Amino acid sequence: MGRKRCVGADCSKMAAGCCGVKKQKLSGSPGSGGPGGVGAGSGVAGTGHCGSELGIGSSATVAAAANVSRANGLGGPGGNVSGSSSSGSSGTNALSPAPAGYTTSGLSPNLSPGPGSGSGGRKMVVSAEMCCFCFDVLYCHLYGYQPPRTPRFTNDPYPLFVTWKIGRDKRLRGCIGTFSAMNLHSGLREYTLTSALKDSRFPPMTRDELPRLFCSVSLLTNFEDVGDYLDWEVGVHGIRIEFFNEKGSKRTATYLPEVAKEQGWDHIQTIDSLLRKGGYKAPITNDFRKTIKLTRYRSEKMTMGYAEYIAHRQHHHYQNGIGHPLPPYNHYS
């Protein structure tokens, strides 16, 4: 009911993002907030967090020099991506234009498309090669090698998130993305390093962590403005809300599609958590919920662990312009 497509500039304004939190349910009443909120936006391009043990933190406006809006991924106390334009300028200006050796065959059965990936039976755009490329970019950076060459997967523009988790329990290690559509080659390069090194909730990643990492790439699609704040499906849609806080300032907050399902939340708990983590401190009433402007969207998600990455590259000769040996794979401690 009351739906309209969100296209063009409307979508590019979307700010703070969230792509998962530690699997922990809300305690107390839904209105009490709880773990895993999303950062508040200011109504313009901004940053937010998307999942950690403590939930999503507040967002802050990105420096005006940045060309796209950045959204910090999974949860935790808020924080800016300080000097946000720096991650966009480093590692993206001197890229080799030569194509890489990526293919689309022989995907490992351990690779996992995320919930809600694809829709209506259409072919998914997100692929294992994108996760491999992100690992290549991070590996080259950490070992001081030249950046990998341009990959062969599509370079169409999409809003995107890159998420890093670590260890057997897949704890969040970094997640930052953008709601502005970016060409995938440059967007994945940028947000691979931004999420791994610039997520203010965590220290920069190190070489020693590589063998325990999992990489997820999420491409956001099908943005729709809806007239009813309950008009979305848990586990299928991501949601982005706009609301005015007690001081009359416009705020924004978002969850990627998997968050509510992972947390075991219903619609009201999810909305109330977003409001709390977006900075709304007053009592949450049903009348106030009805004032929220909600945009729903879907995502295509692919996840790959480091072990699959190594096996995938060695088996399919994923050299991607890298002439150095890969580090040995170490089992989880």
Side-chain angles (χ1 to χ4, degrees):
M1 59 182 289
R3 305 171 192 167
K4 70 174 182 178
R5 298 290 295 175
C6 176
V7 295
D10 291 337
C11 288
S12 68
K13 294 179 181 177
M14 304 187 72
C18 170
C19 50
V21 294
K22 186 173 181 180
K23 295 181 180 179
Q24 174 183 356
K25 293 188 178 182
L26 283 171
S27 58
S29 63
S32 64
V38 108
S42 59
V44 295
T47 63
H49 292 292
C50 89
S52 79
E53 301 178 22
L54 299 177
I56 307 298
S58 299
S59 67
T61 303
V62 173
N67 293 324
V68 295
S69 59
R70 291 174 174 79
N72 283 354
L74 308 166
N80 299 351
V81 179
S82 58
S84 297
S85 59
S86 63
S87 62
S89 59
S90 63
T92 56
N93 293 330
L95 303 180
S96 169
Y102 284 103
T103 66
T104 57
S105 61
L107 300 186
S108 164
N110 295 322
L111 302 178
S112 83
S117 295
S119 60
R122 67 178 178 83
K123 184 178 179 180
M124 290 172 55
V125 175
V126 72
S127 66
E129 288 76 24
M130 295 179 187
C131 295
C132 279
F133 180 65
C134 292
F135 267 115
D136 278 347
V137 170
L138 180 60
Y139 173 82
C140 288
H141 178 86
L142 292 178
Y143 279 84
Y145 293 106
Q146 288 294 318
R149 297 176 182 176
T150 301
R152 287 179 178 168
F153 55 75
T154 179
N155 195 30
D156 291 342
Y158 284 90
L160 60 92
F161 275 80
V162 176
T163 303
W164 297 99
K165 293 187 178 182
I166 191 168
R168 290 182 181 272
D169 54 352
K170 298 184 179 180
R171 303 181 308 278
L172 181 73
R173 188 59 181 85
C175 180
I176 299 180
T178 176
F179 281 95
S180 297
M182 288 191 71
N183 290 75
L184 288 177
H185 295 174
S186 60
L188 290 177
R189 284 186 192 272
E190 175 174 345
Y191 285 99
T192 289
L193 296 181
T194 302
S195 59
L197 307 173
K198 301 290 186 179
D199 191 325
S200 60
R201 298 161 296 171
F202 306 100
M205 284 184 189
T206 64
R207 297 179 189 178
D208 293 340
E209 294 177 286
L210 272 170
R212 297 187 295 139
L213 289 176
F214 296 84
C215 177
S216 296
V217 172
S218 298
L219 307 183
L220 310 187
T221 63
N222 300 96
F223 290 91
E224 295 177 299
D225 290 334
V226 296
D228 183 345
Y229 72 93
L230 297 176
D231 188 10
W232 56 279
E233 185 176 347
V234 172
V236 173
H237 295 109
I239 58 171
R240 183 257 196 182
I241 62 172
E242 283 187 11
F243 63 94
F244 289 90
N245 66 12
E246 306 90 318
K247 298 180 180 180
S249 299
K250 181 184 288 188
R251 311 294 286 177
T252 63
T254 190
Y255 277 133
L256 294 185
E258 62 266 30
V259 174
K261 184 176 181 179
E262 288 178 352
Q263 296 300 308
W265 294 339
D266 60 21
H267 290 73
I268 298 297
Q269 287 176 308
T270 306
I271 293 293
D272 289 0
S273 176
L274 277 179
L275 286 169
R276 291 303 186 207
K277 298 305 178 180
Y280 188 73
K281 297 179 174 58
I284 300 174
T285 65
N286 197 48
D287 286 340
F288 182 76
R289 294 187 191 103
K290 291 178 180 178
T291 68
I292 293 170
K293 178 183 177 182
L294 187 141
T295 300
R296 70 185 192 186
Y297 57 88
R298 299 186 182 224
S299 76
E300 296 183 9
K301 181 180 179 182
M302 182 67 70
T303 298
M304 174 184 282
Y306 183 81
E308 289 78 38
Y309 159 63
I310 295 297
H312 207 49
R313 282 195 59 220
Q314 289 176 340
H315 185 263
H316 297 285
H317 308 290
Y318 275 14
Q319 297 307 313
N320 197 29
I322 302 174
H324 51 75
L326 290 168
Y329 174 69
N330 298 318
H331 292 287
Y332 297 126
S333 57

